[in-house]
Amino acid sequence: PADPAQAEVPVADHTAQGVTIRLVKVPAQLVRHEGRQAQVGGFWVAQAELTVETYARFLLSERGIRRRRELVQPLLPHLRPEFEGVGTGRSARPGVNLGRFSLDWLREDARDEPISGVEYEDARELAAWLQLALPSRPQWKAAWDTFAQGSGRSTIPAAGNRPKGLSNSTHEWTDEGYMAGVRDGEPDFKRRPEGRRGGRASLPVGVRLVRPE
């Protein structure tokens, strides 16, 4: 008999701002959340966390350009050597101008890596720019229940059209500023640090978006 864990799931492509994101279907279901049962309607979840290149395109948009100096921080590990240090108050190369940032600053091998270190407010702006949303905690739990429960893993193996991650970056943003991850084989939600703009916590936080059914 076919292994249900390897079964194909419905997929759809969402395109906005010149970026195409592969979505997979999560069916309506009951999930246990905060000690009680919660009904979650069907929705679509991104197959993968947003990439370095998508985040860089956001930085170049009108939404991102106003705060480019802050937004460039998560990209620093992914820049070509001649641009290392930009945005940190120093420059490894005289004449580097952050105002001239372009996709060419990225290392080619880094473009498809998941972006991490994104602050909560920036993740919300990024979601709105892409005409999607951050998942609620029950939605994140439903996606995990659908694709990862019982796997004994904190990440979901790529199988057919199934999602990757949940979470590749250890934690992923959900709405209301909670960071979703997996602890002891179960979803775990941590509140972002108070008193800081989004926290940019010691935890590497990635971004995975959802769309209503």
Side-chain angles (χ1 to χ4, degrees):
D3 180 356
Q6 301 298 318
E8 296 290 300
V9 295
V11 300
D13 285 335
H14 173 88
T15 300
Q17 310 295 346
V19 175
T20 298
I21 298 171
R22 173 59 55 95
L23 305 174
V24 295
K25 180 70 176 294
V26 180
Q29 60 194 273
L30 282 172
V31 300
R32 189 155 189 82
H33 177 63
E34 295 186 338
R36 64 184 67 181
Q37 295 287 338
Q39 178 65 50
V40 178
F43 65 98
W44 298 86
V45 63
Q47 187 181 35
E49 293 174 356
L50 295 183
T51 65
V52 166
E53 180 169 338
T54 296
Y55 185 80
R57 289 182 181 277
F58 170 59
L59 185 148
L60 289 166
S61 72
E62 288 190 13
R63 280 181 181 261
I65 201 170
R66 295 191 300 270
R67 291 185 19 265
R68 181 173 287 179
R69 184 160 296 278
E70 292 83 7
L71 289 175
V72 79
Q73 297 295 321
L75 290 175
L76 295 182
H78 310 288
L79 300 182
R80 287 163 40 195
E82 59 265 39
F83 299 110
E84 289 176 357
V86 68
T88 61
R90 58 186 176 84
S91 174
R93 180 180 180 185
V96 170
N97 182 346
L98 187 58
R100 296 180 180 177
F101 177 84
S102 75
L103 295 180
D104 291 338
W105 288 30
L106 299 178
R107 299 193 328 269
E108 284 298 325
D109 63 343
R111 289 173 180 251
D112 293 331
E113 293 179 3
I115 190 69
S116 65
V118 179
E119 294 190 4
Y120 170 62
E121 287 85 355
D122 300 333
R124 291 182 62 190
E125 283 284 303
L126 179 53
W129 180 69
L130 290 168
Q131 300 170 30
L132 294 170
L134 293 175
S136 67
R137 283 173 287 163
Q139 283 178 324
W140 201 94
K141 176 70 162 56
W144 189 88
D145 285 351
T146 301
F147 299 115
Q149 188 178 45
S151 66
R153 299 167 57 106
S154 60
T155 59
I156 298 174
N161 289 323
R162 306 174 78 77
K164 307 167 186 176
L166 290 177
S167 54
N168 283 332
S169 296
T170 304
H171 288 78
E172 296 172 355
W173 284 121
T174 67
D175 63 0
E176 300 180 349
Y178 283 87
M179 300 176 287
V182 178
R183 183 175 65 177
D184 298 330
E186 289 291 331
D188 179 57
F189 300 97
K190 300 180 184 296
R191 184 71 174 174
R192 66 179 171 139
E194 297 294 339
R196 299 179 60 187
R197 198 185 72 82
R200 199 169 277 136
S202 57
L203 299 172
V205 187
V207 182
R208 184 189 304 272
L209 301 179
V210 298
R211 187 180 76 183
E213 188 175 29

